[in-house]
Amino acid sequence: MRARRQNVNGASSPGRGRTTGTRRRSRRPASPLPRQVRLIGDESTASFVTRLAALNRLPVEDLMDRVGDGTRPMPVQSTEVYLNAPALQRLAALSGHGAALLQRALPHLRSHHLLADGPQPVWQWPQWRPKGPLFLVRACDLCAQARRRPSEVYLVSVTRWRVCARHHRWLDNLREAGTTWLSLGGLPDVVDAHRQRLMLERRLGAGGRALFADALHLTAFWWNIPSLSPPVWAARRSILAGPVGSDLRIAPLVCYPEAVHLAHLLAQRERRRMRDTGNVYADRDWLDHVGGTLEDWNIPVLPALLPVDLWMQHHSSPPLADGEPRPAQGRWRRLPAPLPHTGVLADTHLEELTCLPWRFGDESRRPDATQVWSVAGQA
């Protein structure tokens, strides 16, 4: 019977006979490989080790054997490899980069993603992660070519997609319509919205990231109900040239500008709540302002405000955890992630970060008397 070891989420998975039981072979200290690859921000560990192996004309299996004990590499475009601390040190030595530098560049080498196995160097390359989404998005090939790097680079993303503002591309890892990116050449408002989102999150920090997650999933509610979808979304869809795949694939794209604008509106309300300067009258005025925005977008106001009202109920007092200081005055001062958002890490997927229960593609249902929503699967 094959030995079984725990994967990154505690479930057991079959191991290969290479390193079973407690018998561990002694290892020589790792030394730098002859050729080193440059680091790419947000790259997946699997993509990085694959590039490192290819540059040194090594099979990935041989490189990972030098890193530590594991099972076998999996397809880099659909899964990820996880290391424990000793394996991270060996990869750092092999790659010629310090461990701290690797952790800054590669999200899944950061401390909260390291395996607990030890003290021997081990790695796990599961076929899939049983808990939580794993979003791997291909890097823009024009950006990669400009830096003399291979185009087959995969990035860890907090969404199922990414935007290359330089080359006006909407990137994902789907194979619909035979391509993994869509041209935004005719949609400058989507590119501009992406820049505004980055500015919002850069200025507000964790609070801005959490509020964008909520805003994006408020627009998902409207997208899931065609009668609540504004005409501009269909107009953006018509501008996309050529076959683009399913409507579900492009849903976040067509909603992006409205989601970013809505995130700014949510930030206005949360700023007052966290500074304890809001009240029921201010909330009423804010909700009227949101309703006016929906009217400008040609969205039926009353039904579209229903998820906003539910969001407000989630974001009621207390706004901050015990001991959390109130944010400083100023429109662009950083905001801590407001309750009910907790444990907000920079690489938390937006689908896990949001406090709202629906996702793009959910079957829309009316809330019951307690306003507890049911959803039917994930997009």
Side-chain angles (χ1 to χ4, degrees):
M1 179 179 298
R2 291 184 177 180
R4 299 179 72 86
R5 61 164 57 93
Q6 286 192 331
N7 64 20
V8 291
N9 296 289
S12 60
S13 60
R16 255 182 20 182
R18 180 189 296 176
T19 58
T20 59
T22 59
R23 296 178 61 187
R24 303 280 186 177
R25 57 180 173 168
S26 59
R27 291 182 175 277
R28 296 178 180 177
S31 56
L33 293 170
R35 296 174 179 268
Q36 306 301 329
V37 296
R38 294 183 178 181
L39 295 174
I40 298 176
D42 295 332
E43 187 176 12
S44 75
T45 310
S47 176
F48 175 76
V49 298
T50 300
R51 288 197 299 121
L52 182 61
L55 187 62
N56 287 276
R57 298 182 180 179
L58 284 173
V60 180
E61 293 86 349
D62 290 356
L63 173 61
M64 295 308 298
D65 194 51
R66 300 187 188 189
V67 170
D69 298 321
T71 51
R72 61 188 178 92
M74 300 299 297
V76 63
Q77 68 270 22
S78 58
T79 187
E80 175 66 302
V81 59
Y82 300 89
L83 282 60
N84 69 352
L88 167 60
Q89 295 298 328
R90 291 187 64 84
L91 178 61
L94 290 166
S95 67
H97 300 290
L101 185 59
L102 285 181
Q103 288 183 302
R104 283 198 296 271
L106 310 182
H108 286 155
L109 289 182
R110 292 166 190 162
S111 299
H112 57 283
H113 286 300
L114 292 179
L115 303 174
D117 305 44
Q120 298 296 326
V122 298
W123 51 269
Q124 296 173 11
W125 204 321
Q127 188 172 359
W128 58 81
R129 292 191 68 184
K131 293 182 181 180
L134 172 63
F135 300 150
L136 299 176
V137 178
R138 283 187 60 177
C140 173
D141 56 351
L142 292 179
C143 290
Q145 292 169 11
R147 293 168 174 79
R148 297 182 180 180
R149 297 167 180 167
S151 59
E152 289 293 320
V153 173
Y154 289 86
L155 309 177
V156 177
S157 177
V158 297
T159 56
R160 300 174 187 270
W161 39 266
R162 292 173 71 102
V163 173
C164 176
R166 173 177 296 178
H167 299 111
H168 291 196
R169 288 183 169 188
W170 183 273
L171 302 150
D172 57 29
N173 193 22
L174 301 178
R175 296 295 187 269
E176 295 186 20
T179 183
T180 56
W181 60 270
L182 304 174
S183 174
L184 299 176
L187 294 169
D189 52 341
V190 175
V191 179
D192 184 58
H194 181 67
R195 293 192 176 104
Q196 292 180 31
R197 172 200 162 192
L198 295 181
M199 184 179 300
L200 175 75
E201 296 183 9
R202 188 178 302 118
R203 288 177 171 176
L204 300 188
R209 193 162 56 251
L211 294 173
F212 174 73
D214 287 346
L216 183 66
H217 291 90
L218 283 171
T219 62
F221 178 94
W222 301 329
W223 187 88
N224 291 340
I225 303 176
S227 62
L228 299 183
S229 298
V232 69
W233 292 354
R236 289 190 189 116
R237 168 64 179 85
S238 66
I239 292 174
L240 292 169
V244 296
S246 68
D247 284 345
L248 186 57
R249 182 189 192 186
I250 63 170
L253 186 161
V254 299
C255 300
Y256 205 6
E258 287 68 37
V260 173
H261 186 92
L262 186 59
H264 283 84
L265 295 181
L266 300 185
Q268 292 175 10
R269 196 258 183 177
E270 288 303 278
R271 191 177 292 110
R272 288 195 298 267
R273 185 170 77 102
M274 285 189 271
R275 291 173 181 157
D276 199 22
T277 59
N279 53 50
V280 64
Y281 302 106
D283 273 355
R284 187 180 302 165
D285 291 342
W286 178 82
L287 199 58
D288 288 343
H289 180 60
V290 174
T293 302
L294 296 177
E295 191 172 0
D296 292 341
W297 292 343
N298 292 318
I299 298 178
V301 175
L302 291 180
L305 281 179
L306 180 61
V308 179
D309 183 68
L310 182 58
W311 175 85
M312 292 177 68
Q313 293 181 40
H314 286 316
H315 285 247
S316 57
S317 57
L320 298 169
D322 292 340
E324 185 84 30
R326 297 190 184 280
Q329 294 291 333
R331 182 182 178 189
W332 293 115
R333 296 297 179 90
R334 298 182 77 81
L335 293 179
L339 295 176
H341 301 277
T342 58
V344 180
L345 299 171
D347 57 355
T348 301
H349 308 301
L350 297 193
E351 292 186 3
E352 295 178 329
L353 179 55
T354 181
C355 66
L356 299 174
W358 51 81
R359 305 292 183 266
F360 285 103
D362 286 340
E363 179 182 346
S364 300
R365 301 179 181 180
R366 292 187 176 276
D368 60 23
T370 61
Q371 290 193 323
V372 176
W373 283 77
S374 299
V375 295
Q378 276 189 294

